[in-house]
Amino acid sequence: MSDFLQTLTSRLPSLGDAILVTLELTLGGAVLAMALALLLGFGARTRSLWVRGPSRVFIEFFRGTSLVVQIFWIFYVLPVFGFKMEALAVGIVALGLNFGAYGAEVVRGSVASVPASQWEATIALNMSWFHRVRRVIFPQAWALMIPMLTNLLIQLLKGSALAYYITLHDVNFWTTQLRRATSETVYSFTAGLLVYFVIAYLLTWGMNALEERAKRRLGRGTRPSLRDVVGLRPAVGTAAITGRGTAA
Amino acid sequence: MTSSTSTAQGGVPAIEFKDVVKRFGDNVVLDQLNFSVAKGDRVTLIGPSGSGKTTILRLLMTLEEANGGLILIDGDPYTHEYKGDRWVEIPEKRRRVVRNRVGMVFQQFNLFPNMTVLENIIEAPVNVLGLKKADAVARAEQLLEQVGMSEKRDFKTNQLSGGQQQRVAIARALAMDPEILLLDEVTSALDPEIVADVLGVLREIAETTDITMLLVTHEMQFAREVSNRVLMFDKGQIVEEADPETMFTHPKHERTQEFLKAVLG
Amino acid sequence: MTSSTSTAQGGVPAIEFKDVVKRFGDNVVLDQLNFSVAKGDRVTLIGPSGSGKTTILRLLMTLEEANGGLILIDGDPYTHEYKGDRWVEIPEKRRRVVRNRVGMVFQQFNLFPNMTVLENIIEAPVNVLGLKKADAVARAEQLLEQVGMSEKRDFKTNQLSGGQQQRVAIARALAMDPEILLLDEVTSALDPEIVADVLGVLREIAETTDITMLLVTHEMQFAREVSNRVLMFDKGQIVEEADPETMFTHPKHERTQEFLKAVLG
Amino acid sequence: MTENGIWNWEHAWEVLPDLLEGLVVTIEATVVGMAIASILGLFIALAMRSPSRWVTIPLRFVVDFIRMTPLLVQLVFVWLLFSTIPTLVVGFTVLGVHYATYMSEVYRAGIEAVPKGQWEAATALNLPKSRTWRAVILPQAVRNTLPGLGNYAISMFKETPFLFAISVVEMYTKAQQYGALTFSYIEPLTLVGLLFLLVSYPTSLLVRRMEIRLA
Amino acid sequence: SSVDEGSGDGDGGKLASLQESGTVNVAFNGEKPYSYQDDNGELTGATVALDEKIFGELGIDTVEGTLTEWNSLIPGLTAGRYDAVSAGMSILPDRCAQAAFAEPTIMYTTAFLVPEGNPDNLTDWQSLEESDVKLAVTSGAIEDGYAQETDVETITVGSSQDGLDAVVSGRADAFALTGISLRALAEGTDEAVEATDAFVATINGVPQIGAGAEVFNPADTELLAAYNEKLAPILDDPAQWLEIMGPFGFTEAEMPPEGLTAEMLCEGDLEKIATELGLDS
Ligand SMILES: Nc1ncnc2c1ncn2[C@@H]1O[C@H](COP(=O)(O)OP(=O)(O)OP(=O)(O)O)[C@@H](O)[C@H]1O
Ligand SMILES: Nc1ncnc2c1ncn2[C@@H]1O[C@H](COP(=O)(O)OP(=O)(O)OP(=O)(O)O)[C@@H](O)[C@H]1O
Ligand SMILES: [Mg+2]
Ligand SMILES: [Mg+2]
């Protein structure tokens, strides 16, 4: 144990770098995923088959084949065709594509649960499509989708552990190296586990704050008690529920 | 069958339905319906549940697509037109120009919960009509004054009672300065005591403006006071048409007599 | 203030409120309310929105907890009692015995969507009263007959219209053979033409049984026909109390006059 | 990869039987895991409604912890700490428990989505609590939950490769093994992707069907 | 982390470009004592030392490493993510079709990691076959193949650490791996385990000659030839080989016998090799 602590201490500086890589992947992937989710989520709702078809194919493909296989292709096979990206970029792109596809279902489901009457009111006021979505529909769907996006974000964080597979040195890699150096599986993993837990906790915390804000915008604010903010219950909006696109 | 392409006042009618067909699946709701509403007219649609009253308003608001026929606003084709002998949809871009002339108030108010009362009202004038924000706010305040909601200006909509929400919804529709106002059972989601309140607001609007109104209501008293023409619908057809006084006191058609008896008790 | 511990007929009242207090947060909805309903009475509660009518029915159904006072059913303490000078909740077990005497029909019907019409009706008789299934079915069929819903026996509830759902809900409440039936605006979610239909069913029940009824309604016509006593509520207090005829034609209290004017138009 | 181009059908055919064998394990793990997740998830959701904070606070913590930490680590821990429990049992159980934490949220939402009026109607009919749950609330809640259940099944399906951390060899690991022995990775891994798709897509169709049916 | 250096478009430009930049990027799996990061994060190990020597002679002074998973080594090489793999990978016939092996640099023997005291008395593969122990093997390693051919009950693990954990936790009775790796593993842990003496496994009567080598992209033929050219004198001179490899715990037993070539191993006729090298027992 004391040996372990010594090695652990000597490796703490590199943990900083590892956390940075994990955060870069998670946040980069999340931003890309969110952009894709919006694009595909609305794309999958359009009436035009020319938009809806490709959106659905994209969603099904990237949800259906698994993240590792996608990472493998982007990192190890595409270069054979002369298409080569930095490892970090590959990680972000792969996470973004995969979770973007899951997220698209969340977006689609949440937008679908905004009452049709809200769309009708926007038509009656003669708003343009983009205006409707930006000012009326999305702000309402947003409050519904955050809890499910939080789940996805946690899964994305955990998915970023595949970084080692593409030569990146993230928290998972750091844990593996610690384990190799100390031969202490349980202690090493506990260290890694706590790091992931803390990151996940902070992310959830941030997302809960976002949700609170979104709800308050809708006049449904629950005036967050300290426990609401600190607690991690991803208060799933009931209408959003039930997996209409519950991702993951 | 009984078609009614009436209106005396001359000039182009504000609303005109020509052979309008609307089906839901196999259910033919409107079968070649013809009728028109002159500018400044206040027309009430009455009729049993499922007769197609709401459908007419929704077609006028392009919330439903017709399956045939023409809908004209001020003589302009609105949702579809005939190109040669083909019946084609008018693209959204052109629809939007015409749609600016039409406003609607819904039974369930449909206010935007993510905005305050004021924001609900100025949203479309600023972003659709392109009004300056200051002007839109000034107009909104005037309208809120008119519906007696001035002091709730900055409230979230779900902090309001049903009657208050409906009054804001009316102000929101009026803020677009529509030439035509559609009202679908605007009081039937409200508490009975509050109904009078909202009807009062509408009566005032009817008296002080010359907006063309097309309304569906079960408040026969209100129909009597506000409208100058009542259309009785049944099965997607106009069964009878008269001024309110005649319609409510001496209905001719058997179906109308039956209906009025059930509703007036 | 104005308390009303009336009833002539003698004997233990079916329902008795003694100094009942109900608060929601700071909002005192019922402040030491006293009233009673004799066995077999048909009492209508009227009054403006928010006056506490629904709250009274919900207290009687134990859907809300009182903050003080006693509620007695047939003289039995129901939700709370005084032990010495302490006001204590009666445990669920004892409440359940009393609750069997009370049935309720809701404005929104609240049928169980996962069951058929028949299943909805026999669920409680079988599982609460312990009836044999065959007996429960026989009784259910009789009730469905009575409300005119026999042919919908095996339908899912969401295949029914509002009026049909409400008739099933009435049959469901009656299947428990309650001594007291609570009805909260049971027609206000229905289309106007259909209202008459459901009211007819209730009228028949009122005529053919001696169930004690406590109802909230905005259908004054119905209140007039069915009930033998009307209580006018305002701000959680009984403002006026009379037989329907007197109440609707010669209301004494100013608040009642105002209210009736707004509702009756 | 070599002179003969990037894709070699011989390798593909050669590895396919191995992969199918692995697919069986993958599907077994998903089915058993999902059975555990959907039942345990329900119990967690029910327990979380307990009025006692002595139940809910610790449970909340455990559930969050499991949800927020990597599955892989959980597998290895349990495998090493309870070395007398057979590996497959550990694998399926941990997978199931991990997903139960996700599922419990879906159930919670499903239960909360049952209108309050249903509870009130049950009280008005004097139904006992247990009967109310069994006959009224749960049937409706579970129906709300089905699409979510399907989605998590799809996702669990693709997390079964983690089972290799405790030496359960499923489809993905079979592919990697073939790659390690022959240095041909593209064929086996691509096939894995396609096989995943082959199972996920119908599941996803089914889920959306239910979504429409229940809407 | 990875650098966009190698490009795999070969035809000899690779050697020149490496020489020009003065840096070669090799992939490694972080396994002691072949190629790994020391506590300071420096790339080190036996195959790395060998690379430094050989590439140095080719005028490439810096050997950089990319630490990656075992299963990414070859895909990354093919994708041109690095220039060579320095992990002492075994030369196997199937593998030769996909990657270009340099001449063998390390002979592989097998050993078992067992609980202290070696309760099952494992000494060589025959003793294993006779006992009924459950053997842990690394996924895709040659020992996995041996076990399958001799019907030994196995569990498959992902890394040597996993194998160690399996033995410690009692999930497996023994863990088979190359002798060199096992020695390093046993030394690095405080757990109550030991490594048996290394042996050449004899499977169905045929001694399993195994050897590891540097791996290149098949397109980089000129680079491979140049590497082999500089490697030959080292293999011919045991003293020099030991000087390079010895510090990492390698002994003469791990030095490839004279005459053993990558080509022979690629053909895979082990019986023939044994006869030619005079190794059959
Ligand atoms: N979206 C829809 N899909 C299918 N059928 C519909 C739809 N909307 C309306 N209908 C049908 O069209 C017919 C006319 O409906 P509509 O709502 O116009 O009647 P209404 O006269 O407004 O009745 P009410 O007084 O009940 O509001 C009804 O038979 C109705 O079932
Ligand atoms: N769950 C609750 N939480 C907070 N306040 C409530 C709640 N239920 C009722 N109230 C308040 O109690 C008061 C009485 O409500 P109640 O529903 O009994 O009125 P009512 O007479 O039935 O009115 P209506 O005619 O509109 O149904 C109202 O001011 C209402 O806002
Ligand atoms: Mg309608
Ligand atoms: Mg009420």
Side-chain angles (χ1 to χ4, degrees):
Chain A
M1 183 69 194
S2 68
D3 277 358
F4 173 80
L5 283 181
Q6 207 173 350
T7 316
L8 178 69
T9 320
S10 74
R11 280 169 180 263
L12 276 184
S14 62
L15 176 60
D17 295 338
I19 291 178
L20 194 63
V21 173
T22 293
L23 286 180
E24 279 169 350
L25 283 168
T26 306
L27 299 181
V31 168
L32 178 59
M34 193 60 215
L36 267 177
L38 289 175
L39 209 65
L40 296 172
F42 279 103
R45 280 182 52 88
T46 53
R47 269 203 296 169
S48 154
L49 192 64
W50 293 106
V51 180
R52 199 178 62 226
S55 303
R56 277 250 66 91
V57 169
F58 191 101
I59 292 173
E60 294 302 345
F61 183 81
F62 280 96
R63 281 199 318 163
T65 59
S66 78
L67 180 62
V68 239
V69 177
Q70 288 155 21
I71 286 195
F72 172 80
W73 261 82
I74 300 173
F75 194 73
Y76 293 119
V77 184
L78 285 189
V80 180
F81 297 106
F83 192 83
K84 193 149 134 187
M85 279 188 288
E86 279 285 334
L88 187 65
V90 171
I92 289 176
V93 166
L95 288 166
L97 290 174
N98 189 264
F99 285 91
Y102 280 112
E105 288 295 274
V106 173
V107 170
R108 190 178 63 83
S110 314
V111 169
S113 47
V114 173
S117 58
Q118 289 290 316
W119 286 96
E120 297 186 344
T122 60
I123 296 176
L125 291 172
N126 212 4
M127 296 177 177
S128 66
W129 184 88
F130 189 71
H131 182 200
R132 284 174 207 164
V133 168
R134 190 175 55 88
R135 295 279 299 158
V136 177
I137 306 300
F138 188 74
Q140 296 180 49
W142 177 232
L144 290 179
M145 66 178 88
I146 295 178
M148 284 177 294
L149 292 180
T150 308
N151 266 353
L152 270 188
L153 185 59
I154 292 175
Q155 287 186 304
L156 192 150
L157 165 69
K158 291 193 273 177
S160 77
L162 279 171
Y164 181 25
Y165 185 55
I166 53 172
T167 72
L168 289 176
H169 297 173
D170 68 334
V171 175
N172 177 37
F173 169 81
W174 181 85
T175 312
T176 324
Q177 293 306 110
L178 179 65
R179 176 180 175 216
R180 264 194 193 165
T182 59
S183 293
E184 291 283 7
T185 300
V186 173
Y187 293 153
S188 307
F189 276 7
T190 305
L193 192 118
L194 288 175
V195 175
Y196 275 106
F197 182 65
V198 168
I199 298 177
Y201 194 98
L202 291 176
L203 289 175
T204 309
W205 196 66
M207 293 297 279
N208 285 356
L210 273 186
E211 186 187 354
E212 200 46 55
R213 210 179 66 144
K215 278 206 205 147
R216 210 161 0 188
R217 285 242 168 110
L218 296 183
R220 287 199 250 119
T222 49
R223 198 149 37 100
S225 69
L226 190 62
R227 216 177 127 251
D228 285 338
V229 177
V230 177
L232 291 166
R233 168 184 234 218
V236 182
T238 47
I241 27 160
T242 61
R244 295 195 147 190
T246 302
Chain B
M1 280 178 235
T2 323
S3 79
S4 112
T5 331
S6 75
T7 57
Q9 296 96 319
V12 190
I15 302 172
E16 186 163 12
F17 271 51
K18 283 191 178 169
D19 296 325
V20 173
V21 177
K22 175 63 191 172
R23 286 185 298 269
F24 289 107
D26 291 339
N27 180 8
V28 182
V29 176
L30 304 181
D31 186 10
Q32 310 244 29
L33 179 69
N34 287 287
F35 81 98
S36 63
V37 176
K39 284 198 183 126
D41 250 11
R42 277 80 205 252
V43 176
T44 302
L45 306 180
I46 62 171
S49 183
S51 55
K53 308 180 296 296
T54 295
T55 304
I56 290 173
L57 300 196
R58 291 173 60 82
L59 282 169
L60 276 167
M61 204 66 257
T62 66
L63 302 176
E64 306 281 357
E65 293 289 326
N67 300 103
L70 285 186
I71 297 176
L72 308 173
I73 302 284
D74 285 346
D76 293 329
Y78 178 25
T79 63
H80 298 77
E81 64 189 335
Y82 286 96
K83 279 212 167 146
D85 56 351
R86 279 184 49 232
W87 189 74
V88 293
E89 259 186 41
I90 290 177
E92 174 68 10
K93 221 173 159 153
R94 269 180 60 204
R95 286 185 178 191
R96 293 194 64 212
V97 177
V98 181
R99 202 192 279 128
N100 266 342
R101 303 182 200 147
V102 188
M104 180 161 181
V105 182
F106 298 86
Q107 180 177 355
Q108 298 292 348
F109 338 132
N110 297 351
L111 295 180
F112 303 134
N114 54 320
M115 303 182 188
T116 63
V117 166
L118 184 73
E119 284 165 354
N120 260 282
I121 297 176
I122 63 170
E123 180 66 24
V126 170
N127 292 292
V128 178
L129 304 182
L131 254 64
K132 279 213 213 71
K133 186 151 177 212
D135 296 344
V137 170
R139 172 89 175 108
E141 282 175 343
Q142 185 195 334
L143 286 164
L144 283 173
E145 181 70 46
Q146 197 175 343
V147 299
M149 290 289 295
S150 291
E151 77 282 20
K152 302 280 180 182
R153 205 189 99 135
D154 296 315
F155 278 52
K156 288 274 169 184
T157 60
N158 60 357
Q159 295 172 297
L160 306 181
S161 72
Q164 294 173 327
Q165 289 192 46
Q166 193 59 294
R167 286 187 275 163
V168 173
I170 292 167
R172 183 175 70 172
L174 291 177
M176 293 290 283
D177 274 325
E179 296 165 19
I180 300 170
L181 190 60
L182 310 175
L183 303 143
D184 189 9
E185 306 194 24
V186 290
T187 56
S188 65
L190 301 179
D191 277 325
E193 238 191 337
I194 291 159
V195 167
D197 201 26
V198 172
L199 292 183
V201 168
L202 288 175
R203 201 180 298 120
E204 194 196 318
I205 290 161
E207 281 161 16
T208 56
T209 67
D210 55 0
I211 296 179
T212 308
M213 280 185 174
L214 187 56
L215 48 106
V216 176
T217 185
H218 290 291
E219 298 288 328
M220 297 306 159
Q221 187 57 34
F222 175 65
R224 209 165 188 153
E225 282 180 39
V226 167
S227 57
N228 55 359
R229 212 169 123 219
V230 178
L231 302 182
M232 165 78 192
F233 267 80
D234 193 26
K235 307 206 178 95
Q237 292 296 336
I238 296 170
V239 184
E240 189 168 347
E241 173 186 356
D243 63 283
E245 207 45 47
T246 319
M247 182 72 101
F248 293 133
T249 50
H250 304 294
K252 292 201 195 76
H253 202 282
E254 187 187 343
R255 191 69 191 87
T256 316
Q257 291 160 0
E258 215 174 278
F259 173 76
L260 288 174
K261 191 162 157 240
V263 175
L264 299 174
Chain C
M1 286 174 236
T2 323
S3 81
S4 115
T5 329
S6 75
T7 57
Q9 293 96 321
V12 190
I15 302 170
E16 188 164 10
F17 271 51
K18 282 192 177 166
D19 296 326
V20 174
V21 176
K22 176 64 190 170
R23 281 187 299 270
F24 290 106
D26 291 340
N27 179 8
V28 182
V29 176
L30 304 181
D31 186 11
Q32 311 243 27
L33 179 69
N34 287 286
F35 81 97
S36 63
V37 177
K39 285 198 181 127
D41 248 13
R42 277 80 205 253
V43 176
T44 303
L45 305 181
I46 63 171
S49 182
S51 57
K53 306 180 298 294
T54 295
T55 303
I56 290 173
L57 300 195
R58 290 173 60 82
L59 282 169
L60 276 167
M61 205 65 258
T62 64
L63 302 175
E64 305 284 356
E65 292 288 327
N67 301 103
L70 286 185
I71 297 175
L72 308 174
I73 301 285
D74 285 346
D76 294 330
Y78 179 26
T79 63
H80 297 78
E81 63 189 339
Y82 285 95
K83 281 214 165 144
D85 57 354
R86 279 185 47 234
W87 189 72
V88 293
E89 261 185 41
I90 290 178
E92 176 66 12
K93 223 174 158 151
R94 271 180 58 206
R95 285 184 179 192
R96 294 200 61 218
V97 177
V98 181
R99 203 194 279 126
N100 265 343
R101 304 182 199 147
V102 188
M104 181 159 180
V105 183
F106 297 85
Q107 180 178 354
Q108 299 293 345
F109 336 133
N110 295 347
L111 295 179
F112 302 135
N114 55 318
M115 303 181 188
T116 63
V117 166
L118 184 75
E119 284 165 353
N120 260 283
I121 297 176
I122 63 171
E123 173 68 25
V126 171
N127 291 289
V128 179
L129 303 182
L131 255 62
K132 280 212 216 71
K133 187 154 175 206
D135 297 343
V137 170
R139 172 90 176 106
E141 282 174 341
Q142 183 194 334
L143 285 165
L144 282 173
E145 183 70 44
Q146 197 174 342
V147 299
M149 292 288 297
S150 292
E151 77 282 24
K152 302 282 180 182
R153 205 188 99 135
D154 296 315
F155 279 49
K156 286 274 167 185
T157 59
N158 57 2
Q159 296 171 296
L160 307 180
S161 73
Q164 293 172 328
Q165 290 193 46
Q166 192 59 292
R167 284 186 276 163
V168 174
I170 293 167
R172 183 174 70 173
L174 292 176
M176 291 291 283
D177 276 326
E179 296 165 19
I180 299 169
L181 191 60
L182 310 176
L183 303 142
D184 189 11
E185 307 195 23
V186 289
T187 56
S188 64
L190 302 179
D191 274 324
E193 244 191 334
I194 292 161
V195 167
D197 202 29
V198 173
L199 292 183
V201 168
L202 288 176
R203 201 180 295 119
E204 193 195 318
I205 291 162
E207 281 160 15
T208 55
T209 68
D210 56 358
I211 296 180
T212 308
M213 281 185 175
L214 187 55
L215 48 106
V216 176
T217 184
H218 289 291
E219 299 287 327
M220 298 303 158
Q221 188 57 33
F222 175 67
R224 208 164 188 154
E225 283 181 38
V226 167
S227 57
N228 56 0
R229 209 169 125 224
V230 179
L231 301 182
M232 165 77 191
F233 267 81
D234 192 27
K235 308 208 178 95
Q237 291 296 337
I238 296 170
V239 184
E240 189 168 348
E241 170 184 0
D243 63 283
E245 208 46 45
T246 321
M247 183 70 103
F248 293 133
T249 49
H250 304 291
K252 291 201 197 77
H253 202 281
E254 187 187 345
R255 190 70 191 86
T256 317
Q257 291 161 0
E258 215 175 280
F259 174 77
L260 288 174
K261 191 161 159 241
V263 174
L264 298 174
Chain D
M1 279 185 135
T2 56
E3 301 77 45
N4 39 14
I6 157 159
W7 182 266
N8 184 329
W9 281 106
E10 264 172 52
H11 289 145
W13 288 122
E14 192 179 23
V15 72
L16 192 57
D18 277 0
L19 295 185
L20 291 177
E21 206 176 295
L23 181 62
V24 173
V25 179
T26 297
I27 292 179
E28 273 170 10
T30 310
V31 170
V32 177
M34 215 52 217
I36 295 174
S38 42
I39 294 167
L40 181 64
L42 180 58
F43 280 107
I44 294 174
L46 292 180
M48 287 302 296
R49 296 181 66 94
S50 154
S52 159
R53 299 184 144 222
W54 294 104
V55 176
T56 54
I57 291 179
L59 187 63
R60 178 87 258 157
F61 182 78
V62 170
V63 166
D64 281 338
F65 194 82
I66 294 178
R67 205 164 56 94
M68 292 188 182
T69 51
L71 172 63
L72 177 106
V73 178
Q74 293 163 13
L75 282 166
V76 172
F77 270 22
V78 177
W79 193 59
L80 292 180
L81 295 181
F82 304 93
S83 58
T84 49
I85 304 175
T87 301
L88 278 185
V89 175
V90 171
F92 294 176
T93 311
V94 172
L95 196 63
V97 171
H98 189 83
Y99 270 82
T101 61
Y102 287 111
M103 281 305 302
S104 69
E105 292 300 331
V106 179
Y107 280 116
R108 185 170 67 75
I111 290 169
E112 283 174 8
V114 175
K116 217 171 113 237
Q118 295 291 311
W119 288 97
E120 300 190 340
T123 307
L125 290 172
N126 216 359
L127 290 178
K129 265 270 151 14
S130 61
R131 181 75 195 167
T132 304
W133 274 108
R134 239 170 347 114
V136 178
I137 305 302
L138 285 184
Q140 294 178 53
V142 167
R143 212 168 50 167
N144 287 343
T145 317
L146 284 178
L149 205 90
N151 277 332
Y152 278 109
I154 295 175
S155 133
M156 181 190 281
F157 187 64
K158 275 169 269 144
E159 288 206 48
T160 51
F162 285 124
L163 290 178
F164 178 54
I166 58 168
S167 87
V168 174
V169 178
E170 45 55 69
M171 179 163 64
Y172 174 74
T173 309
K174 288 267 188 196
Q176 292 288 29
Q177 285 179 353
Y178 182 85
L181 279 173
T182 64
F183 284 5
S184 303
Y185 285 92
I186 292 191
E187 296 85 358
L189 284 175
T190 305
L191 284 175
V192 165
L194 294 177
L195 286 171
F196 272 136
L197 189 59
L198 200 72
V199 182
S200 302
Y201 186 57
T203 316
S204 156
L205 281 186
L206 199 77
V207 168
R208 275 194 300 141
R209 239 249 187 75
M210 285 192 297
E211 189 182 319
I212 290 166
R213 273 250 304 273
L214 300 180
Chain E
S1 28
S2 90
V3 190
D4 280 10
E5 263 156 44
S7 66
D9 49 7
D11 59 40
K14 183 60 148 296
L15 176 60
S17 78
L18 291 183
Q19 280 169 332
E20 195 181 323
S21 72
T23 305
V24 63
N25 192 316
V26 298
F28 64 105
N29 180 38
E31 189 160 352
K32 282 184 187 175
Y34 310 100
S35 44
Y36 58 96
Q37 275 178 328
D38 65 17
D39 285 342
N40 306 318
E42 294 291 322
L43 176 59
T44 184
T47 65
V48 173
L50 194 63
D51 280 356
E52 278 170 345
K53 168 97 177 143
I54 292 171
F55 285 118
E57 285 182 10
L58 289 171
I60 306 165
D61 295 328
T62 319
V63 176
E64 279 182 355
T66 300
L67 176 51
T68 189
E69 254 192 320
W70 176 259
N71 279 312
S72 325
L73 290 171
I74 297 302
L77 182 66
T78 315
R81 299 258 168 209
Y82 26 77
D83 309 306
V85 177
S86 179
M89 295 183 99
S90 285
I91 308 173
L92 297 175
D94 280 339
R95 292 176 171 179
C96 295
Q98 308 297 323
F101 283 96
E103 296 302 339
T105 47
I106 302 166
M107 276 300 278
Y108 282 134
T109 50
T110 302
F112 298 120
L113 184 80
V114 290
E116 220 157 44
N118 194 358
D120 294 298
N121 267 324
L122 300 179
T123 51
D124 59 7
W125 204 267
Q126 274 65 40
S127 66
L128 178 73
E129 283 179 68
E130 283 153 19
S131 70
D132 59 352
V133 305
K134 186 188 257 185
L135 183 71
V137 291
T138 359
S139 170
I142 27 178
E143 295 80 13
D144 194 4
Y146 299 167
Q148 277 172 30
E149 288 199 26
T150 53
D151 287 330
V152 173
E153 191 191 353
T154 58
I155 68 171
T156 318
V157 295
S159 67
S160 49
Q161 180 65 40
D162 289 336
L164 170 66
D165 288 342
V167 172
V168 172
S169 69
R171 290 275 177 191
D173 303 306
F175 173 40
L177 199 64
T178 58
I180 308 154
S181 306
L182 267 190
R183 230 176 295 146
L185 188 62
E187 273 164 24
T189 180
D190 303 333
E191 305 288 353
V193 289
E194 63 179 62
T196 65
D197 288 336
F199 55 90
V200 173
T202 302
I203 305 297
N204 299 331
V206 183
Q208 304 291 309
I209 312 286
E214 188 90 353
V215 189
F216 292 94
N217 192 312
D220 298 332
T221 44
E222 201 190 338
L223 180 60
L224 172 65
Y227 187 93
N228 276 337
E229 192 190 322
K230 301 293 178 193
L231 173 63
I234 301 171
L235 291 175
D236 286 344
D237 177 3
Q240 204 185 347
W241 189 92
L242 270 180
E243 189 192 325
I244 300 167
M245 314 285 279
F248 299 97
F250 286 77
T251 64
E252 223 160 325
E254 276 90 37
M255 190 170 161
E258 228 183 303
L260 181 68
T261 63
E263 199 185 341
M264 289 161 72
L265 289 163
C266 279
E267 258 169 47
D269 190 341
L270 292 179
E271 243 165 308
K272 187 168 142 210
I273 298 173
T275 323
E276 273 180 27
L277 299 180
L279 284 173
D280 39 354
S281 28

